[in-house]
Amino acid sequence: MPYAFDETRLVADDDIVKRATDQFDSSFHASVARSTMGLSPAALAEAYLDWFAHLSASPGKQVWLGWKGARKALRFGMHMAELASGKPDLAPIIAPLPNDRRFADPAWQIWPYNAYYQGFLSWQQWLHNTTTEVRGVSEPHERIVSFVTRQMLDMLAPSNFPLTNPVVLKRSLDENGANFQRGFEHLMADISATAAFKPGQAKSGNPAVGVTVAITPGQVVLRNRLIELIQYTPSTPNVRPEPVLIVPAWIMKYYILDLSAQNSLVRYLVDRGFTVFMVSWHNPDRSDRHLGMDDYLRLGVMEAIKAATAITASPTLHAVGYCLGGTLLSIAAAAMARDGDTRLRSVSLFAAQHDFTDAGEMRLFINESQIALLEDVMAEQGYLEASQMSGAFQILHSNDLIWSHMIESLLLGEEMHDSDLMAWNRDATRLPARMHSEYLRQLFLNNDLAEGRYCVGLTPVAISDIHL
């Protein structure tokens, strides 16, 4: 019997194979992300290839770098000879940047440690010259290469090693090495605490939720799939007629604005007669993968406004947005202005962004390659773990969040206790896949809100419509 060619069956088979191979790629990318702290190796490779190719084709730049390096080496050698001779009051040839506290201790001004840190800073400056101002390299790639090279060099700073850090050496001699024993104990304790950590749980001796932080009295007055709305009652006999609604970021817990009693905006407001409402965002799981920005706007901001005005019988309220919550509140305010909704009396924004054209060094980690990698991670899980976001933040502030902690806790053996702010910082939340992808693509990558393309419903909103 002759074979019957079934084109419909072939098309169906193609679709099955395509879905299977796409799923394989997504799973592979997600596994890569677990070993790279959520950062895209493809984006990094592309940037370094762009830089290396243009530097290789720039003999003039190479000659200039050689000349610059030789001059620095000669200057450094002459300075070292003067230092070794014991010449008094010798000014350093290069000073650390104002925010670089690694070499602030006076012990670094003693030979040979002054030679160590001066050599390191000279090398750092020369590498900056090497990775910048290479003709033909795109500006984003230049920033990535310069930043990542600086981060890798910071790993080799003399302050990070016991034998080249005079402060660590002195502590070791004074304590016969007991600081290293304590440092090892701290390392084991950190590993154990990280493995056993649960949201809201504090390390021993650190601030605890409901005990020393987030202790302003309040009650939940609304609960839906996405939020709990907390109402804090004024502590004064006279109560202001218009309430305050606070919309915090969904990436961290609400009590950033209700830390310890002396660090609580909520406590400050209720002590001055305000009825305060606070949105507490649901910590999403796999079942919440399809929640998007529109859900956060409708079930979060708009439902909270409706409840706060109904409970207080006030036609208007004062809205406060913090960080990403401020971005979301601004979208809501623009939509309300577009639709003639007058329930907002004022809007106050803390650390909130509308225009992402120049979002600082975070822009280095937001590109098509990086977002695609995160989307693959989120497709597998349905959400993004906070720990999977921490890589970029730690790298951005590595001297403060990584190396200084290593020196103080592991090398010097000092006991490290969290402040109330650091305790909050450890208590992060997950992000649903769809919402986080929409935020990164529409706001961060495409800058739709600032450029008037972001839609609420089917109609764009404009920040310029807000007159409050």
Side-chain angles (χ1 to χ4, degrees):
M1 181 176 180
Y3 176 76
F5 182 77
D6 188 346
E7 185 174 352
T8 304
R9 176 62 183 273
L10 286 177
V11 171
D13 288 345
D14 281 348
D15 289 341
I16 292 172
V17 174
K18 181 67 165 60
R19 286 196 299 270
T21 53
D22 286 347
Q23 180 60 44
F24 178 79
D25 283 347
S26 181
S27 298
F28 177 75
H29 295 158
S31 66
V32 169
R34 283 191 286 271
S35 62
T36 62
M37 300 177 72
L39 303 179
S40 170
L44 193 61
E46 180 185 10
Y48 269 93
L49 181 61
D50 185 13
W51 165 76
F52 181 75
H54 285 91
L55 181 61
S56 299
S58 303
K61 174 75 171 181
Q62 296 173 37
V63 170
W64 183 82
L65 288 172
W67 168 254
K68 193 80 171 176
R71 286 191 60 188
K72 283 185 176 294
L74 178 62
R75 186 183 180 196
F76 177 72
M78 295 174 62
H79 186 68
M80 291 306 99
E82 293 179 319
L83 288 175
S85 67
K87 187 175 181 179
D89 301 325
L90 191 62
I93 56 173
I94 182 171
L97 295 173
N99 60 346
D100 187 351
R101 302 184 299 273
R102 290 174 292 182
F103 312 112
D105 194 283
W108 284 102
Q109 304 308 319
I110 300 172
W111 172 269
Y113 308 108
N114 48 8
Y116 296 158
Y117 94 86
Q118 287 285 289
F120 171 78
L121 293 178
S122 296
W123 186 23
Q124 185 180 60
Q125 192 177 72
W126 183 80
L127 280 178
H128 176 74
N129 294 332
T130 303
T131 55
T132 57
E133 297 182 1
V134 179
R135 284 178 57 83
V137 180
S138 72
E139 190 269 341
H141 287 167
E142 178 183 286
R143 293 178 64 187
I144 290 174
V145 170
S146 178
F147 176 81
V148 173
T149 301
R150 186 172 75 248
Q151 298 304 312
M152 291 189 294
L153 184 60
D154 282 344
M155 296 172 60
L156 304 176
S159 54
N160 295 339
F161 301 94
L163 294 180
T164 54
N165 187 323
V167 181
V168 174
L169 274 177
K170 184 177 186 305
R171 180 71 60 87
S172 303
L173 293 173
D174 291 344
E175 299 184 4
N176 295 319
N179 53 308
F180 294 125
Q181 179 183 348
R182 293 195 305 274
F184 181 76
E185 293 171 354
H186 295 164
L187 176 62
M188 294 297 101
D190 283 345
I191 293 173
S192 175
T194 300
F197 178 72
K198 296 181 177 59
Q201 172 186 346
K203 294 182 183 178
S204 177
N206 286 328
V209 178
V211 179
T212 52
V213 297
I215 57 173
T216 304
Q219 59 182 336
V220 175
V221 295
L222 169 69
R223 182 181 287 111
N224 61 31
R225 181 183 178 184
L226 197 53
I227 69 167
E228 287 184 341
L229 184 64
I230 305 169
Q231 179 181 353
Y232 301 91
T233 304
S235 59
T236 57
N238 295 320
V239 177
R240 297 174 186 263
E242 294 171 322
V244 173
L245 170 65
I246 301 177
V247 183
W250 55 81
I251 194 174
M252 300 295 273
K253 297 296 179 67
Y254 72 93
Y255 61 90
I256 176 61
L257 299 170
D258 186 27
L259 294 172
S260 50
Q262 72 276 12
N263 276 355
S264 170
L265 176 65
V266 175
R267 174 66 62 91
Y268 179 89
L269 291 172
V270 298
D271 285 348
R272 283 153 182 81
F274 284 100
T275 301
V276 177
F277 292 87
M278 175 81 77
V279 172
S280 176
W281 297 103
H282 165 65
N283 197 7
D285 55 29
R286 186 180 294 270
S287 66
D288 300 312
R289 65 168 61 241
H290 297 301
L291 290 174
M293 289 284 288
D294 53 344
D295 297 303
Y296 273 67
L297 187 66
R298 177 175 52 86
L299 296 175
V301 179
M302 300 312 296
E303 283 292 308
I305 291 174
K306 180 180 177 181
T309 52
I311 290 171
T312 59
S314 172
T316 57
L317 55 76
H318 303 282
V320 175
Y322 175 76
C323 193
L324 301 182
T327 306
L328 188 66
L329 176 60
S330 300
I331 294 172
M336 293 170 72
R338 178 197 67 189
D339 299 338
D341 189 333
T342 59
R343 287 177 292 175
L344 295 182
R345 178 68 177 273
S346 71
V347 171
S348 302
L349 303 175
F350 306 152
Q353 196 160 8
H354 304 127
D355 188 341
F356 294 81
T357 303
D358 185 6
E361 290 184 323
M362 271 303 294
R363 288 291 302 181
L364 302 178
F365 301 99
I366 305 298
N367 50 49
E368 183 60 42
S369 176
Q370 181 65 57
I371 293 177
L373 185 71
L374 289 177
E375 286 176 338
D376 287 335
V377 172
M378 294 187 293
E380 186 174 67
Q381 301 173 163
Y383 56 83
L384 189 68
E385 283 281 7
S387 59
Q388 292 169 319
M389 294 191 60
S390 64
F393 290 107
Q394 288 184 332
I395 291 173
L396 284 173
H397 306 284
S398 60
N399 282 334
D400 293 325
L401 298 180
I402 300 176
W403 307 122
S404 65
H405 173 78
M406 183 195 75
I407 294 167
E408 293 175 18
S409 179
L410 306 186
L411 299 184
L412 294 175
E414 295 178 355
E415 191 71 31
M416 305 292 290
H417 288 294
D418 283 348
S419 65
D420 52 7
L421 184 63
M422 290 304 297
W424 164 81
N425 188 61
R426 293 176 62 248
D427 192 7
T429 60
R430 295 181 290 270
L431 302 173
R434 178 187 162 198
M435 185 278 298
H436 195 49
S437 177
E438 289 176 350
Y439 167 74
L440 291 177
R441 285 193 176 279
Q442 295 183 45
L443 299 182
F444 223 116
L445 189 63
N446 298 334
N447 206 19
D448 286 345
L449 180 60
E451 297 178 10
R453 294 186 298 269
Y454 190 89
C455 291
V456 176
L458 299 177
T459 310
V461 297
I463 295 296
S464 59
D465 287 343
I466 303 173
H467 298 283
L468 295 171

